[in-house]
Amino acid sequence: MTKHLVIVESPAKAKTIGRFLGDDYDTQASYGHIRDLPESKMGINIAENYEPNYQITKDKQKVVDDLRKKAKKADEVILATDEDREGEAIAWHLAQALELDPKKTKRIVFHEITKQAITKALEEPRNINDDLVNAQQARRILDRLVGYSLSPFLWKKIRKGLSAGRVQSVAVRLIVERDTEIKKFIPVEYWSITAQLSKQKQEAIFLAKLHKIGKENAIVSTGEHSQSIVDEVRSQTYTVTKVAKKEVKRNPAPPFTTSTLQQEASRKLGFGAKKTMLIAQQLYEGIEHGGVSEGLITYMRTDSYNIAETALTTIREYIEETMGKAYLPAKPNVYKTKAKAAQEAHEAIRPTDIKKTPKSLSAFLNKAQLQLYELIWQRTLACQVAQAIMDTVSVDITAGTYMFRVSGSTVKFDGFTRIYQEGKDENPQADDAEDTNQTLPELKEGETLKLHDLLPAQHFTKPPARFTEASLVKALEEHGIGRPSTYAPIMSNIVDRGYVRLENRRFFPEDIGGIVNDLLVQHFPGVVDINFTAKMEDNLDSVADGKADWVTLVDEFYKPFFSLLQTKEIEVKRSDFYEKTEHICEKCGKPMLVKFGQYGKFLACSGFPDCKNTKPLDDEEKETTDMVCDKCGAPMEVKRGRFGKFYGCSKYPECKTIKPLHQPKVIGIPCPKCGGQIEEKRSKRGKVFYGCANYPKCDYASWSEPTNEKCETCGDLKVKGKGGAIICPTCEK
């Protein structure tokens, strides 16, 4: 008989933890969530305090049966699921489904999967935290109430197949409103004037920009104005009137949280949020290296900047040994998170052992794993290195009533920048930014300079940048929307539902996304209101802290929401979303309307149902592109067909060349059949799947995202299943 049964979420995690424990322990995986609300109905008894009707999911029945048998034979059951609310909920569902005695069942949590951390956790077991479970349950019920109430409404008023999400709809709103802002943006012309200068007896040129005209900031709006200034200032004497030198200290960025890891992985590695979290999960759960298997990073769903004292000591020792005392601050650098309701008891994302350098692990990690580990390792190390020190100088140069300014900086001490520098989001105005890294000669106040040339340049103000995954995660966090475990699913859901698309790593709203957003903003403002959604997150945090009742929270939201929904069922008409056109139906002579169907917009007769004439909008909505047809050399156009937008030759029907609008994305994993590259593709209905780039020669395909891990039993490539579990599609384990 097994004395101790330990249950975790994934086989990889079970394998790693099992190696730390003795023969008295049997470590098993639940493969993520084992129970959920039913798929075919709401599954919530509203009249009975919103009691949920949880069911064991079809694919987990065998797992649950096996765990029940093992639990009955064990003297003790230990639930070791992840430390966040979702992990707490999985532990609670396991206890319910396995009919475990709550007084005898132990719950342990840990920040990292190392022998020391697991041993300590076993010494400090606790009971399941009902407050955390209730907070997660309230989130799930709220999302189900919104989704199962609003989705049928959208089917009736716009088209079938649509869905609405409580948090995802806010993300779509941000993208739609940014797109509207960009389209409405009117560029404004302005000019800069740069003087090429040098010391009188030197030829080394530096650049100074016109900064002021008289006492006012220089605003030059036309070419004529620019030329008049150039003509006037060319004959002036250029005199140094002010030299300001100072020492500037720069602090390193804090260690990674979930959101900042996703942002940096997007900026520096080009990883999507979903890919980042999948790889981080692998690093956390454990990868065999040098004959051992243990977690390489701490838990990756966190909003805390804390680093354990023991880890800080090791990091500081490593800095002193490898970089020298000059790079070690007198005291550890401490960071205070700005995230709302951050769990300060948790830790930031860091390597479990800073001495395990990326180089030492390069033989054991695949390319993506190594890239992400190196990012985490560098950031963690740099956050405890001393400040960087810069010597900066700003020089004002007067030419008559005009004042030019030049700035420069030199590195006095590289500090943390020797290891790592934080990436930046796209800034449309960055191209026009002043160069502050010029090498300047020694300049003194009162000396005159030699003018070599004046360079006027035309510029236009630019619209705000479109959201990337990095900047959208940042915006959601700043608004207090979502929590660490929700960012990646938000990104995936809004794309998978067809409301937005990702092109060149930037979000663009689809037509249907704009229509649904407009409806929700106009008729259900509370659902997509940013402040309201952020407040709801705060309320869920209060439930998690034991300060609020989850039933009351759900009730206060649902009752007014349901009342409003009943009113809107009568007020809102499907015809409100039809767009009138000048086209006339050739069958009955009535005007044609633009309607939304399963595959996008189309023209339909306003005489429906008496006249059912429809026609594609393809000819009316072509978008020109810079792409050239491979076969005939004519320009390609963005057209709309039955399955959405695609690239088509402008010479159609003479040339029938077409290409998919969404180009397949290589995910960096070799095909198990032929060794080619696996690509992320889209089906005709827009659903994401994974297939070999050598199709049709190779027919490998999977609806689930493949991993680089092979099944020990059959050798098939494992895939990511529900709840983040890594499973074999053949053996189903």
Side-chain angles (χ1 to χ4, degrees):
M1 178 181 286
T2 301
K3 292 184 179 180
H4 310 283
L5 174 64
V6 181
I7 304 177
V8 298
E9 297 97 329
S10 75
K13 189 175 178 182
K15 183 178 179 181
T16 303
I17 292 176
R19 292 185 175 183
F20 301 145
L21 305 175
D23 295 336
D24 288 341
Y25 290 85
D26 179 19
T27 309
Q28 296 292 324
S30 70
Y31 295 89
H33 287 276
I34 59 166
R35 299 200 310 174
D36 198 3
L37 297 170
E39 293 184 3
S40 58
K41 57 183 179 180
M42 183 177 286
I44 298 170
N45 190 338
I46 296 172
E48 295 294 330
N49 289 329
Y50 305 95
E51 182 178 352
N53 175 26
Y54 293 117
Q55 298 178 353
I56 296 172
T57 55
K58 292 180 181 179
D59 60 332
K60 296 296 175 62
Q61 188 61 59
K62 186 177 183 302
V63 173
V64 171
D65 291 342
D66 290 342
L67 290 176
R68 277 177 181 163
K69 292 176 184 177
K70 292 179 181 294
K72 287 179 181 179
K73 295 178 180 179
D75 291 340
E76 179 183 63
V77 178
I78 302 169
L79 302 176
T81 50
D82 289 342
E83 61 172 330
D84 59 6
R85 294 179 199 171
E86 190 170 1
E88 203 73 19
I90 292 175
W92 180 78
H93 282 293
L94 281 166
Q96 296 288 313
L98 303 183
E99 300 175 351
L100 302 177
D101 185 346
K103 294 182 180 179
K104 295 182 179 180
T105 303
K106 292 182 179 180
R107 169 81 170 112
I108 64 171
V109 294
F110 36 83
H111 302 307
E112 59 188 62
I113 303 180
T114 59
K115 186 171 184 178
Q116 181 182 3
I118 301 302
T119 302
K120 183 179 179 182
L122 287 170
E123 294 171 353
E124 301 173 350
R126 62 170 173 79
N127 294 324
I128 293 172
N129 187 319
D130 291 334
D131 292 331
L132 294 179
V133 173
N134 287 337
Q136 185 66 20
Q137 182 166 252
R139 177 186 291 280
R140 185 73 183 96
I141 290 173
L142 282 168
D143 289 342
R144 175 56 67 98
L145 290 171
V146 171
Y148 269 64
S149 299
L150 269 184
S151 295
F153 178 83
L154 295 176
W155 301 348
K156 295 176 187 176
K157 307 305 178 183
I158 301 178
R159 69 161 173 82
K160 289 184 178 180
L162 296 177
S163 59
R166 185 180 59 85
V167 177
Q168 292 89 336
S169 294
V170 178
V172 172
R173 178 178 184 175
L174 290 172
I175 294 168
V176 170
E177 290 182 347
R178 177 62 59 86
D179 180 71
T180 301
E181 193 177 350
I182 291 170
K183 288 178 178 177
K184 288 183 177 180
F185 182 81
I186 300 174
V188 177
E189 180 185 9
Y190 70 98
W191 288 71
S192 64
I193 300 174
T194 304
Q196 291 184 332
L197 301 165
S198 71
K199 291 176 74 74
Q200 288 292 351
K201 295 182 179 181
Q202 294 181 6
E203 291 302 316
I205 292 174
F206 59 90
L207 306 177
K209 281 194 174 182
L210 179 63
H211 187 67
K212 286 193 174 184
I213 302 175
K215 294 183 179 181
E216 303 295 327
N217 290 333
I219 300 175
V220 185
S221 55
T222 66
E224 292 79 5
H225 187 197
S226 172
Q227 190 59 49
S228 67
I229 293 174
V230 169
D231 293 341
E232 182 180 350
V233 80
R234 192 179 294 278
S235 60
Q236 300 293 331
T237 300
Y238 288 76
T239 306
V240 177
T241 52
K242 182 180 179 182
V243 178
K245 294 182 179 180
K246 63 179 179 179
E247 185 180 87
V248 176
K249 295 180 179 179
R250 288 179 54 201
N251 294 317
F256 279 131
T257 61
T258 303
S259 67
T260 55
L261 176 63
Q262 290 175 5
Q263 290 171 51
E264 279 291 83
S266 175
R267 296 177 188 127
K268 292 194 169 185
L269 306 178
F271 290 179
K274 184 178 179 181
K275 180 177 180 179
T276 298
M277 295 310 290
L278 173 62
I279 298 169
Q281 184 90 31
Q282 295 166 357
L283 296 173
Y284 166 70
E285 291 183 344
I287 294 174
E288 191 165 338
H289 56 283
V292 299
S293 177
E294 65 179 3
L296 296 177
I297 65 169
T298 53
Y299 192 53
M300 64 285 156
R301 294 187 182 93
T302 177
D303 48 17
S304 173
Y305 288 150
N306 281 354
I307 294 179
E309 288 294 330
T310 52
L312 275 177
T313 300
T314 305
I315 292 168
R316 286 174 60 80
E317 288 174 353
Y318 183 85
I319 292 170
E320 187 170 359
E321 290 172 6
T322 60
M323 301 177 70
K325 285 188 177 181
Y327 288 87
L328 185 68
K331 296 180 180 179
N333 295 330
V334 178
Y335 301 90
K336 184 69 176 177
T337 180
K338 296 180 181 178
K340 294 183 178 180
Q343 302 294 311
E344 293 298 344
H346 295 177
E347 273 202 78
I349 304 170
R350 61 166 175 83
T352 54
D353 184 355
I354 200 70
K355 294 180 181 179
K356 290 180 178 177
T357 65
K359 184 177 181 180
S360 70
L361 296 172
S362 60
F364 309 102
L365 306 180
N366 63 37
K367 181 180 178 182
Q369 291 169 341
L370 183 61
Q371 285 178 308
L372 193 66
Y373 181 77
E374 184 173 36
L375 196 70
I376 295 168
W377 186 89
Q378 289 176 340
R379 176 88 163 220
T380 304
L381 185 64
C383 84
Q384 292 304 317
V385 175
Q387 298 169 316
I389 303 174
M390 316 291 289
D391 279 336
T392 65
V393 59
S394 176
V395 181
D396 291 349
I397 302 160
T398 301
T401 59
Y402 299 92
M403 190 268 279
F404 290 76
R405 177 170 289 173
V406 58
S407 300
S409 63
T410 56
V411 178
K412 186 175 182 180
F413 176 65
D414 56 1
F416 72 91
T417 63
R418 176 176 166 182
I419 302 295
Y420 181 88
Q421 291 195 63
E422 190 174 21
K424 295 181 179 179
D425 289 321
E426 180 185 1
N427 179 2
Q429 314 302 333
D431 292 341
D432 301 329
E434 186 176 344
D435 183 5
T436 58
N437 292 316
Q438 296 185 67
T439 301
L440 300 178
E442 188 68 28
L443 299 173
K444 297 180 180 179
E445 293 181 5
E447 75 172 296
T448 59
L449 303 173
K450 180 181 178 181
L451 175 66
H452 292 262
D453 201 359
L454 289 164
L455 306 174
Q458 183 185 41
H459 308 274
F460 291 92
T461 54
K462 298 175 183 177
R466 291 190 181 276
F467 282 111
T468 60
E469 286 202 11
S471 58
L472 185 58
V473 168
K474 184 177 181 181
L476 291 171
E477 185 181 39
E478 287 176 346
H479 287 301
I481 296 169
R483 288 298 182 261
S485 62
T486 65
Y487 298 129
I490 289 172
M491 304 294 124
S492 297
N493 287 342
I494 60 178
V495 173
D496 293 344
R497 290 177 175 179
Y499 289 156
V500 303
R501 68 181 186 276
L502 264 173
E503 286 185 14
N504 298 321
R505 297 171 57 191
R506 291 168 176 79
F507 283 111
F508 291 78
E510 298 285 17
D511 291 335
I512 194 64
I515 292 291
V516 171
N517 178 71
D518 291 346
L519 182 150
L520 295 178
V521 169
Q522 182 178 351
H523 299 288
F524 299 92
V527 173
V528 290
D529 181 75
I530 293 172
N531 293 328
F532 178 85
T533 306
K535 178 64 176 174
M536 182 62 73
E537 294 289 359
D538 292 340
N539 292 338
L540 289 169
D541 290 339
S542 295
V543 173
D545 293 337
K547 299 177 182 177
D549 176 63
W550 76 267
V551 174
T552 302
L553 172 62
V554 173
D555 194 56
E556 288 176 350
F557 169 82
Y558 183 70
K559 283 184 177 178
F561 167 73
F562 183 70
S563 176
L564 178 63
L565 183 65
Q566 290 179 310
T567 301
K568 295 301 179 181
E569 286 276 8
I570 301 171
E571 285 183 2
V572 180
K573 308 295 182 185
R574 191 181 184 103
S575 58
D576 294 343
F577 302 97
Y578 296 161
E579 182 182 338
K580 296 180 180 179
T581 73
E582 297 178 354
H583 296 279
I584 302 298
C585 176
E586 61 270 22
K587 292 186 177 181
C588 71
K590 291 184 178 180
M592 300 286 280
L593 303 172
V594 176
K595 295 185 178 181
F596 267 96
Q598 186 175 355
Y599 306 111
K601 290 180 179 180
F602 65 96
L603 286 172
C605 182
S606 59
F608 180 86
D610 297 327
C611 179
K612 298 181 179 180
N613 184 30
T614 63
K615 55 196 297 188
L617 253 179
D618 183 57
D619 292 337
E620 320 304 327
E621 292 202 348
K622 295 174 182 175
E623 302 173 24
T624 58
T625 72
D626 295 330
M627 189 182 296
V628 176
C629 177
D630 297 335
K631 292 184 179 179
C632 71
M636 298 288 279
E637 297 174 328
V638 177
K639 300 184 177 184
R640 188 186 298 275
R642 183 183 178 193
F643 300 109
K645 292 182 178 181
F646 63 94
Y647 291 117
C649 182
S650 59
K651 287 291 184 69
Y652 179 87
E654 290 83 6
C655 179
K656 298 181 180 179
T657 300
I658 62 171
K659 288 185 177 182
L661 190 67
H662 300 282
Q663 297 296 318
K665 181 174 69 175
V666 176
I667 64 172
I669 295 176
C671 173
K673 285 191 173 183
C674 71
Q677 286 294 325
I678 296 178
E679 297 176 327
E680 180 182 295
K681 303 181 179 182
R682 286 183 179 272
S683 69
K684 289 183 176 180
R685 296 183 181 274
K687 187 176 180 180
V688 172
F689 74 98
Y690 301 87
C692 182
N694 292 331
Y695 178 84
K697 292 182 179 179
C698 178
D699 62 354
Y700 172 82
S702 170
W703 288 114
S704 301
E705 184 173 354
T707 70
N708 225 8
E709 187 177 340
K710 289 187 177 181
C711 177
E712 299 85 351
T713 303
C714 69
D716 197 1
L717 203 61
K718 290 188 176 182
V719 299
K720 186 179 180 184
K722 290 185 178 180
I726 306 301
I727 62 173
C728 173
T730 303
C731 302
E732 296 186 350
K733 65 179 183 179

